[in-house]
């Protein structure tokens, strides 16, 4: 009976010295194989007295079971450890992402306005009609609302706030900012996604705008023009010029659209080609449209809780995808590529 203990401890010792799965297999053959240790033991059963045979047989079975489970457990742990611990196999490089160009442009815009004391705000993309239109001096039936065809959100309409929509512009943040600050000065840059149901080569249903809002005592159009000029020179380069053109928005009076001088023709609208003068193909007139702006309408100031007799202010709104493309000199056949998740395209920025 002592043999069993000896064999068991010998097996255990050898098991502890294993180095590979091949060693493990050899050990299995040594103990459980056709000519293995256990087989030999079994062959000796004939020399054992009949009384002891039963116990002998049971002991062999128990030993066999023990060896089998030990080998199995060892194999399991061995595979786990080895696959985890092989430090010589070269690692898999994790693919690094990068910021989307719209995010890069937003970061740059925010940095440009920071020294002027403008703070960045983000206002809801899912917005009440009241903030997007009514408070901006656009009554329910005003045709100007058609310019911003809307995405309606299934939500209980509110008698005062109207329906819920996906905000079509960042101007809705004007009222929210006035109500938050309560007492001017206000200097805000509101960056947000905007939504309009357009889908073609020059429009995506989701795009980005940033809205500048400045309200204080004695604010006038020269401040507006100076600020846009500063932004344009910082973002596009010191040689670029701006101009304001009269326009109409319900929420500003007077209102403007503003343009930037074209960098292809230097603002002349003409280019020299082999000795003769041609119209610039990029701008046709020397100017490219950049955004909308104006002096905040007194009704809008009132809706924001600010006294138009004491304070005045200006606002502008600029499309981010558009100015990013202008800056990079990108003329994309299809602007939708910006949001197509096409890695080959995105990697270039
Ligand atoms: N909200 C206007 C638009 O999306 C732009 C604008 C902003 C105009 C602020 C005037 C003042 O077209």
């Amino acid at each position: 009976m002592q043999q069993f203990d000896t064999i068991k401890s010998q097996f255990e010792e050898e098991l502890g010295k294993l180095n590979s799965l091949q060693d493990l297999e050899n050990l299995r053959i040594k103990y459980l194989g056709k000519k293995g240790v256990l087989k030999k033991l079994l062959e000796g059963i004939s020399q054992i007295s009949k009384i002891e045979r039963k116990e002998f047989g049971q002991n062999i079975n128990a030993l066999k079971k023990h060896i089998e489970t030990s080998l199995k457990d060892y194999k399991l742990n061995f595979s786990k450890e080895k696959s985890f611990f092989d430090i010589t196999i070269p690692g898999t490089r994790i693919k690094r992402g990068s910021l989307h160009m719209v995010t890069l442009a937003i970061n740059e815009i925010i940095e440009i306005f920071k020294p002027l004391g403008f703070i960045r705000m983000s206002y809801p993309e899912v917005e009440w009609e009241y903030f997007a239109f009514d408070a901006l001096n656009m009554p329910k039936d005003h045709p100007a609302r058609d310019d911003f065809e809307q995405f309606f959100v299934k939500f209980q309409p509110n008698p005062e706030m109207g329906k819920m929509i996906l905000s079509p512009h960042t101007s809705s943040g004007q009222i929210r900012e006035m109500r938050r600050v309560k007492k001017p000065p206000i200097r805000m840059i509101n960056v947000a996604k905007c939504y309009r149901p357009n889908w073609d080569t020059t429009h995506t249903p989701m795009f980005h705008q940033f809205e500048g809002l400045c309200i204080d005592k004695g604010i006038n159009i020269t401040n507006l023009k100076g600020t846009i000029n500063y932004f344009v020179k910082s973002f596009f380069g010191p040689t670029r010029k701006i101009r304001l053109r009269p326009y109409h928005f319900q929420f500003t009076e007077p209102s403007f659209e503003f343009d930037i001088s074209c960098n292809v023709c230097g603002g002349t609208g003409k280019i020299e080609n082999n000795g003769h003068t041609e119209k610039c193909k990029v701008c046709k007139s020397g100017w490219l449209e950049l955004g909308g702006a104006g002096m905040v309408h007194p009704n809008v100031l009132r809706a924001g809780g600010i006294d138009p007799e004491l304070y005045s202010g200006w606002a502008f709104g600029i499309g981010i995808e558009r100015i990013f493309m202008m800056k990079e000199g990108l003329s994309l056949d299809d602007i939708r590529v910006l949001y197509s998740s096409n890695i080959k395209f995105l990697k270039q920025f």
Side-chain angles (χ1 to χ4, degrees):
M1 292 304 155
Q2 236 180 354
Q3 295 185 77
F4 291 107
D5 288 339
T6 322
I7 294 172
K8 199 171 166 183
S9 50
Q10 197 191 331
F11 166 77
E12 245 92 275
E13 202 187 316
E14 286 178 58
L15 188 71
K17 286 183 191 154
L18 296 187
N19 267 327
S20 66
L21 286 176
Q22 187 56 52
D23 287 355
L24 189 76
E25 178 60 8
N26 292 342
L27 193 67
R28 190 189 66 78
I29 294 169
K30 181 173 174 189
Y31 282 86
L32 305 177
K34 274 185 196 152
K35 293 175 188 165
V37 176
L38 263 67
K39 198 80 182 193
K40 282 209 180 104
L41 264 181
L42 203 58
E43 279 163 10
I45 204 164
S46 55
Q47 287 149 36
I48 291 189
S49 70
K50 278 195 177 155
I51 313 163
E52 285 175 330
R53 255 182 218 176
K54 194 177 170 197
E55 200 189 343
F56 186 84
Q58 281 169 347
N59 275 338
I60 289 199
N61 278 343
L63 183 60
K64 191 176 169 208
K65 227 181 200 140
H66 173 76
I67 292 178
E68 276 170 356
T69 35
S70 299
L71 291 172
K72 213 163 131 193
D73 288 353
Y74 197 91
K75 189 171 180 178
L76 263 179
N77 286 332
F78 185 88
S79 327
K80 261 191 226 154
E81 278 173 29
K82 284 294 163 184
S83 59
F84 188 71
F85 272 109
D86 190 347
I87 56 165
T88 60
I89 294 174
T92 344
R93 201 174 278 277
I94 294 170
K95 279 194 188 129
R96 277 237 206 150
S98 58
L99 295 178
H100 190 273
M101 50 269 215
V102 169
T103 307
L104 292 173
I106 291 172
N107 292 347
E108 191 179 345
I109 292 161
I110 295 304
E111 286 308 311
I112 290 173
F113 279 98
K114 228 186 235 174
L116 302 189
F118 282 77
I119 55 164
R120 176 178 183 178
M121 296 301 295
S122 294
Y123 282 115
E125 287 171 25
V126 182
E127 181 59 287
W128 292 108
E129 276 183 301
Y130 174 78
F131 287 108
F133 297 121
D134 303 76
L136 292 174
N137 200 33
M138 295 166 87
K140 291 259 175 309
D141 53 357
H142 197 283
R145 281 199 183 190
D146 297 346
D147 297 343
F148 307 89
E149 294 167 56
Q150 292 146 60
F151 284 113
F152 289 97
V153 175
K154 260 196 188 165
F155 195 80
Q156 189 68 32
N158 179 307
E160 274 148 48
M161 295 291 171
K163 292 178 186 149
M164 273 236 153
I165 54 167
L166 298 183
S167 193
H169 57 175
T170 43
S171 299
S172 36
Q174 286 188 24
I175 305 293
R176 287 189 177 269
E177 180 67 355
M178 289 181 212
R179 292 194 181 178
R180 183 187 73 85
V181 177
K182 293 192 179 78
K183 201 174 162 342
I186 292 174
R187 285 191 209 99
M188 166 195 81
I189 295 292
N190 173 29
V191 187
K193 294 189 180 78
C194 302
Y195 301 84
R196 297 181 197 176
N198 298 319
W199 177 251
D200 57 41
T201 51
T202 52
H203 296 91
T204 48
M206 183 282 301
F207 60 100
H208 295 75
Q209 280 190 344
F210 69 102
E211 182 103 359
L213 177 69
C214 174
I215 301 174
D216 206 345
K217 285 183 176 149
I219 295 292
N220 57 42
I221 296 172
T222 52
N223 305 133
L224 169 65
K225 201 171 172 187
T227 308
I228 294 175
N229 193 39
Y230 159 78
F231 168 72
V232 163
K233 288 192 161 51
S234 313
F235 191 78
F236 292 99
T239 56
R240 307 297 279 276
K241 294 190 191 74
I242 59 151
R243 73 170 183 190
L244 302 188
R245 263 183 299 112
Y247 200 73
H248 172 80
F249 293 106
Q250 275 295 114
F251 32 92
T252 45
E253 182 59 37
S255 300
F256 310 97
E257 274 195 335
F258 52 94
D259 304 328
I260 178 174
S261 58
C262 173
N263 60 332
V264 173
C265 62
T268 59
K270 295 176 197 116
I271 44 166
E272 292 294 319
N273 190 1
N274 278 337
H276 40 87
T277 316
E278 284 175 3
K279 242 189 187 173
C280 173
K281 285 199 184 72
V282 175
C283 64
K284 298 190 178 81
S285 63
W287 299 93
L288 296 160
E289 186 194 319
L290 210 58
M295 299 305 292
V296 181
H297 196 288
N299 288 350
V300 175
L301 289 173
R302 268 184 224 112
I306 287 169
D307 183 355
E309 299 297 325
L310 276 177
Y311 295 103
S312 56
W314 52 249
F316 66 75
I318 300 181
I320 297 179
E321 285 79 355
R322 205 181 140 73
I323 60 162
F324 171 79
M325 283 167 31
M326 279 162 76
K327 178 177 173 162
E328 297 291 321
L330 281 179
S331 62
L332 298 178
D333 294 341
D334 192 335
I335 191 182
R336 292 173 288 195
V337 72
L338 286 174
Y339 297 111
S340 66
S341 302
N342 178 340
I343 297 287
K344 263 191 203 157
F345 173 75
L346 296 172
K347 255 187 166 170
Q348 300 169 57
F349 301 95

